[in-house]
Amino acid sequence: MHRRRFGKLLIVLVLVSLLVGGVGITAAQDEPVTIRFFHKWPEPEHIAYYEWVIDQFEAEYPNINVEMEAVADEPYKDKIRVVMASGEVPDVFFSWAGEFSWKFARSGRALPLDDYFYGTDWEDQIVASALEPYKLDGHLYGLPMRINAKFMVYNKQMFEDLGLAEPTTWDEFLAACQALKDASIIPIAFGNEFPWASSHYIGDFNAKLVAPEVRSADYLLEADPDTLFTDPGYVEALARFKLLNDEGYFNDGANALQHSLARASFVAGRAGMMFVELEEFQMIADDMGADAFGYFVFPSGTGGAGDQNLMTGAPDGFMVSAESEHPEEAIAFLHFMLSPERGEEYVRQLGIPSAVVGAATEETALPLVVDALQRLNEASGMALWLDTDIDIKIVEVYLPGMQAVLSGSESPESVMQKVHDIAVQVQAEAATE
């Protein structure tokens, strides 16, 4: 979906002071300016929210026109890279955290935000832990809009009918899957047409099965070339993933099914569980009722060397182009969008946890969402989305490998050998740059 907004072009002939919520951003403007805003949420409800934000912003700052463009999640990954290569970088643009954003920072495409953020009231308005994945070499390059994490949801009536409790270990989880299967219920709804879905499983397994220092060194390509991605925990991760499919715990044809259709299957009562993002809780509640489902932390790594208290997830946020001709106006818009007022409205309208401090409360969000956020706060940290936390060349080998494991055309060992090989190649290429 592609949409452009051309707002008012009012000529302002006086000094305009953009004292934005105490940040103290100032800009002298005698000409109207347009800033480009690019994100990955083209769904009607998201567009309606951002239009509301932009209308408010333009009313408050009539010399600034915001031109918005949005494309869906999967094509955004390709389009933002094309846009970056073209040199036509939007003034404010979405980026996943971790390696996905760090690449923009390393290439000089993203503006360091330290001077605009630290030492201002803005610093107290954003959840501090959500900032870390947007930092590189001690500098802040992105600001989080929302916080997301992965949980296993389940049909409460099915669990009650079968006498099942929320699993807390891998063996208990497998036992619950088998009980559902024995009752002729699909244990887990799963749509993997776009393999980011499998990467969320594998990323969670990796975090729980591989020692943190080993996983970090591999993901950052800092390990010895001979050991890159050779820890046995990686093979075990794919093996556990394969087991779920081989035992018939996933629905048939997962590689040809979209995630949204799998969610529809869960909501319709055709499956007992599903691995979903926190931001999907509201959608599920809207379709099947907030009391019809519960959630638990996926006990994927019992017995592994990883951190069992990590949560898979990440903040989602925005960066500012280092080449923007209007950086102060871009910062002003970002600050306006990430204010407490807009944060609360974001939660209220979309049911998605905001990264703005205090925005998600029982008055603005589902009790389940507030409870899950508390679980997230109690976690030891976050394992970022695998497909945006490692180099794209490795992703292009790893994710198809996950689909191949699911289809039975590749073994976990052969996939990890290919991942090791491409990681060694990427590491060597980086050393010569």
Side-chain angles (χ1 to χ4, degrees), residues 104-133:
F104 299 145
R106 284 195 295 267
S107 64
R109 296 294 194 187
L111 184 71
L113 302 177
D114 309 77
D115 293 342
Y116 297 100
F117 184 79
Y118 293 112
T120 74
D121 67 341
W122 206 0
E123 186 176 356
D124 296 327
Q125 294 172 3
I126 303 296
V127 175
S129 62
L131 296 170
E132 294 302 318

mmCIF file of all heavy atoms in Angstrom, residues 104-133:
data_model
loop_
_atom_site.group_PDB
_atom_site.id
_atom_site.type_symbol
_atom_site.label_atom_id
_atom_site.label_comp_id
_atom_site.label_asym_id
_atom_site.label_seq_id
_atom_site.Cartn_x
_atom_site.Cartn_y
_atom_site.Cartn_z
ATOM 1 N N PHE A 104 22.591 0.540 9.010
ATOM 2 C CA PHE A 104 22.335 1.914 8.565
ATOM 3 C C PHE A 104 23.249 2.886 9.315
ATOM 4 O O PHE A 104 23.719 3.874 8.750
ATOM 5 C CB PHE A 104 20.871 2.292 8.801
ATOM 6 C CG PHE A 104 19.893 1.426 8.044
ATOM 7 C CD1 PHE A 104 18.667 1.093 8.598
ATOM 8 C CD2 PHE A 104 20.184 0.952 6.780
ATOM 9 C CE1 PHE A 104 17.760 0.303 7.908
ATOM 10 C CE2 PHE A 104 19.287 0.151 6.081
ATOM 11 C CZ PHE A 104 18.071 -0.178 6.650
ATOM 12 N N ALA A 105 23.488 2.612 10.594
ATOM 13 C CA ALA A 105 24.358 3.486 11.383
ATOM 14 C C ALA A 105 25.801 3.404 10.877
ATOM 15 O O ALA A 105 26.470 4.420 10.686
ATOM 16 C CB ALA A 105 24.274 3.096 12.855
ATOM 17 N N ARG A 106 26.272 2.170 10.652
ATOM 18 C CA ARG A 106 27.664 1.997 10.197
ATOM 19 C C ARG A 106 27.906 2.630 8.836
ATOM 20 O O ARG A 106 28.994 3.122 8.556
ATOM 21 C CB ARG A 106 28.012 0.508 10.146
ATOM 22 C CG ARG A 106 28.259 -0.125 11.503
ATOM 23 C CD ARG A 106 28.947 -1.482 11.359
ATOM 24 N NE ARG A 106 28.115 -2.455 10.697
ATOM 25 C CZ ARG A 106 27.317 -3.322 11.314
ATOM 26 N NH1 ARG A 106 27.258 -3.337 12.630
ATOM 27 N NH2 ARG A 106 26.591 -4.179 10.640
ATOM 28 N N SER A 107 26.878 2.622 7.981
ATOM 29 C CA SER A 107 27.044 3.174 6.641
ATOM 30 C C SER A 107 26.837 4.681 6.593
ATOM 31 O O SER A 107 26.923 5.293 5.525
ATOM 32 C CB SER A 107 26.058 2.502 5.678
ATOM 33 O OG SER A 107 24.721 2.790 6.046
ATOM 34 N N GLY A 108 26.559 5.288 7.754
ATOM 35 C CA GLY A 108 26.400 6.737 7.803
ATOM 36 C C GLY A 108 25.055 7.225 7.319
ATOM 37 O O GLY A 108 24.878 8.430 7.081
ATOM 38 N N ARG A 109 24.083 6.323 7.201
ATOM 39 C CA ARG A 109 22.756 6.719 6.725
ATOM 40 C C ARG A 109 21.855 7.235 7.851
ATOM 41 O O ARG A 109 20.851 7.890 7.575
ATOM 42 C CB ARG A 109 22.063 5.526 6.069
ATOM 43 C CG ARG A 109 22.751 5.000 4.818
ATOM 44 C CD ARG A 109 22.690 6.016 3.706
ATOM 45 N NE ARG A 109 23.047 5.438 2.413
ATOM 46 C CZ ARG A 109 23.193 6.144 1.301
ATOM 47 N NH1 ARG A 109 23.021 7.451 1.347
ATOM 48 N NH2 ARG A 109 23.508 5.555 0.171
ATOM 49 N N ALA A 110 22.182 6.886 9.093
ATOM 50 C CA ALA A 110 21.320 7.251 10.218
ATOM 51 C C ALA A 110 21.977 8.323 11.072
ATOM 52 O O ALA A 110 23.185 8.289 11.331
ATOM 53 C CB ALA A 110 21.020 6.022 11.069
ATOM 54 N N LEU A 111 21.181 9.273 11.502
ATOM 55 C CA LEU A 111 21.668 10.397 12.302
ATOM 56 C C LEU A 111 21.830 9.982 13.763
ATOM 57 O O LEU A 111 20.898 9.420 14.352
ATOM 58 C CB LEU A 111 20.656 11.549 12.218
ATOM 59 C CG LEU A 111 21.013 12.852 12.913
ATOM 60 C CD1 LEU A 111 22.133 13.568 12.161
ATOM 61 C CD2 LEU A 111 19.778 13.740 13.015
ATOM 62 N N PRO A 112 22.977 10.243 14.383
ATOM 63 C CA PRO A 112 23.090 10.000 15.832
ATOM 64 C C PRO A 112 22.110 10.910 16.573
ATOM 65 O O PRO A 112 22.023 12.106 16.282
ATOM 66 C CB PRO A 112 24.545 10.364 16.153
ATOM 67 C CG PRO A 112 25.250 10.342 14.836
ATOM 68 C CD PRO A 112 24.239 10.738 13.812
ATOM 69 N N LEU A 113 21.399 10.340 17.531
ATOM 70 C CA LEU A 113 20.335 11.091 18.196
ATOM 71 C C LEU A 113 20.706 11.526 19.614
ATOM 72 O O LEU A 113 19.873 12.127 20.303
ATOM 73 C CB LEU A 113 19.061 10.227 18.238
ATOM 74 C CG LEU A 113 18.541 9.766 16.871
ATOM 75 C CD1 LEU A 113 17.323 8.861 17.046
ATOM 76 C CD2 LEU A 113 18.181 10.957 15.994
ATOM 77 N N ASP A 114 21.922 11.230 20.025
ATOM 78 C CA ASP A 114 22.330 11.506 21.409
ATOM 79 C C ASP A 114 22.039 12.948 21.827
ATOM 80 O O ASP A 114 21.456 13.186 22.886
ATOM 81 C CB ASP A 114 23.829 11.223 21.588
ATOM 82 C CG ASP A 114 24.222 9.857 21.077
ATOM 83 O OD1 ASP A 114 24.327 9.710 19.834
ATOM 84 O OD2 ASP A 114 24.405 8.951 21.885
ATOM 85 N N ASP A 115 22.434 13.905 21.014
ATOM 86 C CA ASP A 115 22.308 15.310 21.404
ATOM 87 C C ASP A 115 20.852 15.760 21.473
ATOM 88 O O ASP A 115 20.536 16.734 22.161
ATOM 89 C CB ASP A 115 23.079 16.206 20.426
ATOM 90 C CG ASP A 115 24.587 15.984 20.527
ATOM 91 O OD1 ASP A 115 25.033 15.428 21.552
ATOM 92 O OD2 ASP A 115 25.291 16.353 19.566
ATOM 93 N N TYR A 116 19.983 15.100 20.724
ATOM 94 C CA TYR A 116 18.571 15.475 20.737
ATOM 95 C C TYR A 116 17.809 14.805 21.885
ATOM 96 O O TYR A 116 16.719 15.245 22.233
ATOM 97 C CB TYR A 116 17.903 15.066 19.415
ATOM 98 C CG TYR A 116 18.457 15.745 18.200
ATOM 99 C CD1 TYR A 116 19.381 15.099 17.373
ATOM 100 C CD2 TYR A 116 18.072 17.044 17.874
ATOM 101 C CE1 TYR A 116 19.879 15.721 16.244
ATOM 102 C CE2 TYR A 116 18.564 17.675 16.751
ATOM 103 C CZ TYR A 116 19.473 17.010 15.928
ATOM 104 O OH TYR A 116 19.970 17.631 14.817
ATOM 105 N N PHE A 117 18.370 13.718 22.415
ATOM 106 C CA PHE A 117 17.631 12.874 23.349
ATOM 107 C C PHE A 117 18.124 12.997 24.788
ATOM 108 O O PHE A 117 17.348 13.310 25.689
ATOM 109 C CB PHE A 117 17.719 11.422 22.881
ATOM 110 C CG PHE A 117 16.927 10.462 23.706
ATOM 111 C CD1 PHE A 117 15.554 10.356 23.527
ATOM 112 C CD2 PHE A 117 17.539 9.666 24.663
ATOM 113 C CE1 PHE A 117 14.800 9.473 24.292
ATOM 114 C CE2 PHE A 117 16.800 8.771 25.427
ATOM 115 C CZ PHE A 117 15.432 8.671 25.244
ATOM 116 N N TYR A 118 19.417 12.776 24.989
ATOM 117 C CA TYR A 118 19.945 12.738 26.349
ATOM 118 C C TYR A 118 20.014 14.148 26.946
ATOM 119 O O TYR A 118 20.353 15.114 26.268
ATOM 120 C CB TYR A 118 21.326 12.074 26.374
ATOM 121 C CG TYR A 118 21.254 10.608 26.028
ATOM 122 C CD1 TYR A 118 21.802 10.128 24.836
ATOM 123 C CD2 TYR A 118 20.603 9.711 26.862
ATOM 124 C CE1 TYR A 118 21.715 8.773 24.499
ATOM 125 C CE2 TYR A 118 20.503 8.368 26.540
ATOM 126 C CZ TYR A 118 21.057 7.906 25.368
ATOM 127 O OH TYR A 118 20.944 6.583 25.040
ATOM 128 N N GLY A 119 19.642 14.205 28.222
ATOM 129 C CA GLY A 119 19.656 15.493 28.897
ATOM 130 C C GLY A 119 18.397 16.301 28.658
ATOM 131 O O GLY A 119 18.315 17.458 29.068
ATOM 132 N N THR A 120 17.408 15.720 27.974
ATOM 133 C CA THR A 120 16.125 16.389 27.768
ATOM 134 C C THR A 120 15.036 15.597 28.495
ATOM 135 O O THR A 120 15.267 14.477 28.959
ATOM 136 C CB THR A 120 15.773 16.461 26.271
ATOM 137 O OG1 THR A 120 15.368 15.155 25.831
ATOM 138 C CG2 THR A 120 16.967 16.938 25.451
ATOM 139 N N ASP A 121 13.834 16.174 28.548
ATOM 140 C CA ASP A 121 12.742 15.453 29.204
ATOM 141 C C ASP A 121 12.335 14.212 28.402
ATOM 142 O O ASP A 121 11.693 13.304 28.927
ATOM 143 C CB ASP A 121 11.536 16.373 29.400
ATOM 144 C CG ASP A 121 10.891 16.788 28.103
ATOM 145 O OD1 ASP A 121 11.551 16.683 27.052
ATOM 146 O OD2 ASP A 121 9.717 17.206 28.126
ATOM 147 N N TRP A 122 12.709 14.166 27.151
ATOM 148 C CA TRP A 122 12.414 13.011 26.297
ATOM 149 C C TRP A 122 13.036 11.741 26.883
ATOM 150 O O TRP A 122 12.472 10.663 26.795
ATOM 151 C CB TRP A 122 12.986 13.270 24.906
ATOM 152 C CG TRP A 122 12.299 12.538 23.789
ATOM 153 C CD1 TRP A 122 11.238 11.680 23.886
ATOM 154 C CD2 TRP A 122 12.634 12.624 22.415
ATOM 155 N NE1 TRP A 122 10.889 11.227 22.639
ATOM 156 C CE2 TRP A 122 11.725 11.793 21.731
ATOM 157 C CE3 TRP A 122 13.605 13.315 21.685
ATOM 158 C CZ2 TRP A 122 11.767 11.633 20.335
ATOM 159 C CZ3 TRP A 122 13.643 13.161 20.309
ATOM 160 C CH2 TRP A 122 12.735 12.329 19.645
ATOM 161 N N GLU A 123 14.201 11.901 27.490
ATOM 162 C CA GLU A 123 14.938 10.754 28.031
ATOM 163 C C GLU A 123 14.126 9.993 29.071
ATOM 164 O O GLU A 123 14.247 8.773 29.193
ATOM 165 C CB GLU A 123 16.259 11.235 28.632
ATOM 166 C CG GLU A 123 17.171 10.118 29.105
ATOM 167 C CD GLU A 123 18.518 10.636 29.600
ATOM 168 O OE1 GLU A 123 18.760 11.856 29.496
ATOM 169 O OE2 GLU A 123 19.316 9.814 30.081
ATOM 170 N N ASP A 124 13.290 10.725 29.825
ATOM 171 C CA ASP A 124 12.492 10.070 30.870
ATOM 172 C C ASP A 124 11.186 9.498 30.330
ATOM 173 O O ASP A 124 10.445 8.849 31.068
ATOM 174 C CB ASP A 124 12.173 11.075 31.984
ATOM 175 C CG ASP A 124 13.426 11.557 32.689
ATOM 176 O OD1 ASP A 124 14.375 10.756 32.805
ATOM 177 O OD2 ASP A 124 13.467 12.731 33.096
ATOM 178 N N GLN A 125 10.886 9.752 29.074
ATOM 179 C CA GLN A 125 9.594 9.340 28.523
ATOM 180 C C GLN A 125 9.647 8.022 27.765
ATOM 181 O O GLN A 125 8.605 7.497 27.367
ATOM 182 C CB GLN A 125 9.057 10.447 27.601
ATOM 183 C CG GLN A 125 8.725 11.733 28.344
ATOM 184 C CD GLN A 125 8.379 12.875 27.410
ATOM 185 O OE1 GLN A 125 8.321 12.712 26.190
ATOM 186 N NE2 GLN A 125 8.135 14.042 27.976
ATOM 187 N N ILE A 126 10.829 7.496 27.509
ATOM 188 C CA ILE A 126 10.974 6.268 26.732
ATOM 189 C C ILE A 126 11.560 5.170 27.625
ATOM 190 O O ILE A 126 12.508 5.422 28.382
ATOM 191 C CB ILE A 126 11.903 6.485 25.512
ATOM 192 C CG1 ILE A 126 11.369 7.631 24.632
ATOM 193 C CG2 ILE A 126 12.028 5.202 24.702
ATOM 194 C CD1 ILE A 126 10.024 7.370 24.003
ATOM 195 N N VAL A 127 11.003 3.960 27.542
ATOM 196 C CA VAL A 127 11.499 2.833 28.331
ATOM 197 C C VAL A 127 12.978 2.612 28.013
ATOM 198 O O VAL A 127 13.352 2.364 26.860
ATOM 199 C CB VAL A 127 10.692 1.560 28.017
ATOM 200 C CG1 VAL A 127 11.275 0.356 28.744
ATOM 201 C CG2 VAL A 127 9.225 1.756 28.387
ATOM 202 N N ALA A 128 13.820 2.722 29.056
ATOM 203 C CA ALA A 128 15.269 2.719 28.837
ATOM 204 C C ALA A 128 15.759 1.419 28.186
ATOM 205 O O ALA A 128 16.625 1.448 27.295
ATOM 206 C CB ALA A 128 15.982 2.948 30.171
ATOM 207 N N SER A 129 15.216 0.267 28.620
ATOM 208 C CA SER A 129 15.703 -1.001 28.074
ATOM 209 C C SER A 129 15.420 -1.135 26.579
ATOM 210 O O SER A 129 16.112 -1.874 25.880
ATOM 211 C CB SER A 129 15.069 -2.168 28.834
ATOM 212 O OG SER A 129 13.663 -2.158 28.688
ATOM 213 N N ALA A 130 14.406 -0.415 26.099
ATOM 214 C CA ALA A 130 14.061 -0.497 24.676
ATOM 215 C C ALA A 130 15.019 0.314 23.810
ATOM 216 O O ALA A 130 15.006 0.203 22.581
ATOM 217 C CB ALA A 130 12.628 -0.015 24.455
ATOM 218 N N LEU A 131 15.867 1.120 24.446
ATOM 219 C CA LEU A 131 16.823 1.924 23.683
ATOM 220 C C LEU A 131 18.050 1.114 23.286
ATOM 221 O O LEU A 131 18.671 1.368 22.242
ATOM 222 C CB LEU A 131 17.276 3.127 24.519
ATOM 223 C CG LEU A 131 16.207 4.158 24.902
ATOM 224 C CD1 LEU A 131 16.778 5.127 25.925
ATOM 225 C CD2 LEU A 131 15.720 4.909 23.665
ATOM 226 N N GLU A 132 18.424 0.162 24.136
ATOM 227 C CA GLU A 132 19.690 -0.549 23.956
ATOM 228 C C GLU A 132 19.868 -1.148 22.572
ATOM 229 O O GLU A 132 20.946 -1.040 21.968
ATOM 230 C CB GLU A 132 19.838 -1.627 25.030
ATOM 231 C CG GLU A 132 19.986 -1.082 26.441
ATOM 232 C CD GLU A 132 21.186 -0.154 26.580
ATOM 233 O OE1 GLU A 132 22.245 -0.469 26.027
ATOM 234 O OE2 GLU A 132 21.029 0.902 27.233
ATOM 235 N N PRO A 133 18.836 -1.832 22.013
ATOM 236 C CA PRO A 133 19.042 -2.434 20.679
ATOM 237 C C PRO A 133 19.234 -1.425 19.553
ATOM 238 O O PRO A 133 19.548 -1.813 18.430
ATOM 239 C CB PRO A 133 17.742 -3.232 20.465
ATOM 240 C CG PRO A 133 17.208 -3.488 21.834
ATOM 241 C CD PRO A 133 17.557 -2.248 22.599
#
